[in-house]
Structures are given as structure tokens and as C-alpha cells.
Amino acid sequence: MALLQLDIQHLRNIKQANLKFSPTVNLIIGPNASGKTSLLEAISLICQGRSFRTTRIDQLIQHEQSRLLLLAHYYQGNEKQIIGLSRENKTTQVKINTQTISKTTELAGRIAVHVLIPESHELLDSGPKMRRQYLDWGVFHVEHHYLDLWKQYHRVLRQRNSALRRKRSKQEIQAWDQPLVEKAELLHSIRDNYIKRLSPVLADYGNQLIGENPKFDYQPGWNKDVSADYAHQLTESFDQDYDRGFTRFGPHRADIKIKISNKAVQTVFSRGQQKLLICAMTLAQLKLQPTESILLVDDLPAELDPQRRAILMNALKDSGAQVFVTATEPDLIDLSRWTEGKMFHVKHGIFQDVV
Ligand SMILES: Nc1ncnc2c1ncn2[C@@H]1O[C@H](COP(=O)(O)OP(=O)(O)OP(=O)(O)O)[C@@H](O)[C@H]1O
Ligand SMILES: [Mg+2]
């Protein structure tokens, strides 16, 4: 899989760009506010139907313009695909080859795009939501039916929560328990299996990048020690759920904490180590993916010394993904080990090929 060509019109400060990429690594060099992250956003939008910076696509339309336009050529195996995306009048239109597709989420299933951006740090810093997203995203690309199951679970959860909020009878509320338990147990077992496969890969990358052995501590969203099965948990916590008006336990509360020698990693690792850990987590997911991926790495050098940067670049290379890396200075990144690598300079939203 490789994105080989991208035409951009009116996206943030990029008025017009026609770019031909390398299938291996693409280095985007430019000063602050030149348009580096905007290019990565364009790639994310055309490949996934969304930006990693905002949920509001309209923010990406260039000021004073009414429409943004993207056209991508990418190869899936030997097969060339053309994706077009436009955003105008609050409407997004996507065409794959000549066929219009109705939902932008259909894009996400085709091309796996991973991002390593400064905000990725929230994976460790913020609450469990980001880590659940990381987990679900990884599983989704390995098991495509997972998304349907996830949606079914949340549908039943909403029904049960609505019954709790409206203070319906115990019988009416508990009518949702059995379908909820069914979906929850299945979600949990798929997540659990995935974590079991991901753990040794994370340990490998942890060793390679940091010389440490990070471990996932997967918490399914209910107390497995006290109540082994979820049905038991729901019965036990019924009174509390009723008082609070929502379902307190379940896969919607799952978390994967990352531990080093049984301690929370945030309390042990330096900032640079934490950044490398997030890279290790991303690379581990990438390795389990059945299809090749695109990896967007924004502002790589921040907080990394030259030696760690080189180790990370080697790991990125060995991942086999098509990589896009941004930096403010060209000598921060050594491309000598890559074949067919390309470099672009960007200034005021205008890109120039260098290699
Ligand atoms: N909708 C928009 N229309 C026009 N310009 C925009 C729009 N949104 C953002 N910009 C501008 O685009 C420019 C490029 O932003 P971008 O985030 O891509 O820079 P960058 O090269 O990644 O910089 P940094 O090194 O600071 O991260 C900024 O000056 C920003 O203010
Ligand atoms: Mg940027």
C-alpha cells in the first residue's frame, strides 16, 4: 500500500499542491507555520475521512474559500485506486475510482493510517478514553466485524442507560442485561486476545527503543477479581446504577494501563522515554496489521536525542510502512538507510521536491 500522488486545493495554508511521494519515506521540512502538519492532515483526511487535529472538517477549508479538494492516487498491491474528496457547503463527497461512497468511515477500513503527533502523548497522560480508542482502532483493523459488534454493544448500552435514567421498573431495566452481557463478553474476549498478541510485540519494541520491557495492564471495565463474569457484575451493581442513572461497569469503561516493573509508566519514565513508548505502542499495532500502513510522524525530533532519533528512524524503516515525517531542519533526520526516500521543503504552503 502506498500513497503515491496527492493533489491538494485550498486546505489550510495550502492553496494548491501536486505532490508525488515515495512509497518508503517522505521527509517534509519547513519552518513553523509553513504547512507541514497541514499536509499530514490532508493525507489523514483523504485516507480516513477525518483529520487528527479536529473533528470539524470545515476548519480545514482555506480562509476566504468555499471548497477544499483532494485527489489521491494510491496502490493496493498492484492495483491503482483514485480517491477524490471534496468539502463544500457542510457536505463531504468521496469518490473511490468513479464510485461515490456514502460514508467517509468506509475509507478508514481500506487504508490504515497511524499518527505519531505531539498530542499522542495524551495516550499516557489523559483518561482511559484515548487508550480505549487505541485498543479499538487496533482491533478494528485486524477484525473488521469488530466495529459492528462495538456499535451493537453501545446501542444496547444506550437503551439500558435510558431505562435507568427514566427510573423504569427493575424488570424493564434488566431486560437489557442479557443482550448487553452477550455483546460485552464478546467484545472483551476479542480485546483480550488482541492484547495477548500485542504484548510480546510491544515488549520487543520497548527493548529496541528504550531498553525496557513495558507491559499492558488490560482492565476490561468491570472488576474481574470480584465478579468474574459481567452478568454477575451487572446484578451486583444494579442499585448503584439505578441511583446514578447509568451503567457504571462494562467494556465502555475498559482501560489499558502501561506498566514498567508494575509501576505506572508516567511515574517512572522521562518525557523522551514516554515519547518513545508511544512510538513503540504504535509500531506494535502496525506490526499486527494484515495490510501495509501509512504512518504520519509530526515533529519527530522534539524531545529526542540524536541517538534515539536514529534508533527510531531504523524501527520506522523496518516497519515497512510508508512513512511521512516532518521536521523544521533537514539535518535532524538521516535518510541514508532508506532507499527511494524523498524530501520536500515547504514555505508558506508551497512545496518543493528536494530529492
Ligand atoms: N483554514 C485555514 N486557512 C488558511 N490558513 C490556515 C487555516 N488554518 C490554519 N492556517 C494556517 O496555516 C499555517 C500552517 O499551519 P501548520 O500547522 O500546517 O504549520 P506547521 O508547518 O506544521 O508549523 P509547526 O512547525 O509550528 O508545527 C499556519 O500559519 C496556520 O495559521
Ligand atoms: Mg506542525
Side-chain angles (χ1 to χ4, degrees), residues 10 16 46 74 83 135 137 176-177 187 189 191 203 220 232 240 242 252 257 281 292 309 313 329 338 347-348:
H10 300 147
Q16 169 88 39
I46 192 78
Y74 80 97
I83 315 176
L135 173 59
W137 194 92
W176 296 111
D177 286 12
L187 266 183
S189 84
R191 282 173 170 174
H232 185 245
Q240 284 170 319
Y242 191 81
H252 58 291
K257 298 219 158 66
M281 289 170 70
E292 290 161 33
R309 226 156 46 215
M313 282 305 284
E329 302 291 336
W338 302 69
K347 243 185 196 170
H348 306 300

Side-chain angles (χ1 to χ4, degrees), residues 199-208 210-216 258-262 265 269 277:
S199 295
V201 190
L202 178 75
D204 277 355
Y205 277 119
N207 258 322
Q208 194 178 329
I210 327 165
E212 295 277 356
N213 185 5
K215 290 201 164 77
F216 286 120
I258 296 92
K259 301 259 174 89
I260 290 286
S261 313
N262 244 350
V265 77
F269 269 6
L277 171 64

